[in-house]
Amino acid sequence: TPSHTEADATLVVEAVDGVHALTHLWWRGDRTPHIDPLAWDQAAIEVGRARVLAVADVVIPGHGRPFRVRPVERAAG
């Protein structure tokens, strides 16, 4: 998942409260800046963002607070 450079990567881990993605595809928890001023290829960032949002419940951006993509699903009981 390239972001600032081609070599950037996203770490995806399964946790008790869902799938977490640690990434530099976003800078902050409010998902800004929308256009990355340091991006080597903004189109590649957009593809990577879509991939991460499709699998993650929580995203931990490079410089900000985590944000939840989907609400926590609770077991009935």
Side-chain angles (χ1 to χ4, degrees):
T1 51
S3 55
H4 297 324
T5 71
E6 277 185 271
D8 284 338
T10 296
L11 174 64
V12 178
V13 296
E14 192 168 341
V16 174
D17 64 339
V19 176
H20 292 230
L22 292 83
T23 185
H24 222 126
L25 290 166
W26 292 274
W27 289 27
R28 300 178 191 92
D30 65 359
R31 302 186 194 191
T32 61
H34 300 289
I35 304 298
D36 189 326
L38 301 178
W40 69 277
D41 182 343
Q42 185 67 36
I45 287 178
E46 297 303 328
V47 169
R49 287 175 175 175
R51 289 178 64 202
V52 168
L53 292 175
V55 299
D57 298 303
V58 176
V59 173
I60 303 166
H63 303 284
R65 299 181 67 101
F67 63 86
R68 188 158 280 283
V69 177
R70 287 180 276 288
V72 177
E73 293 184 21
R74 302 193 188 280

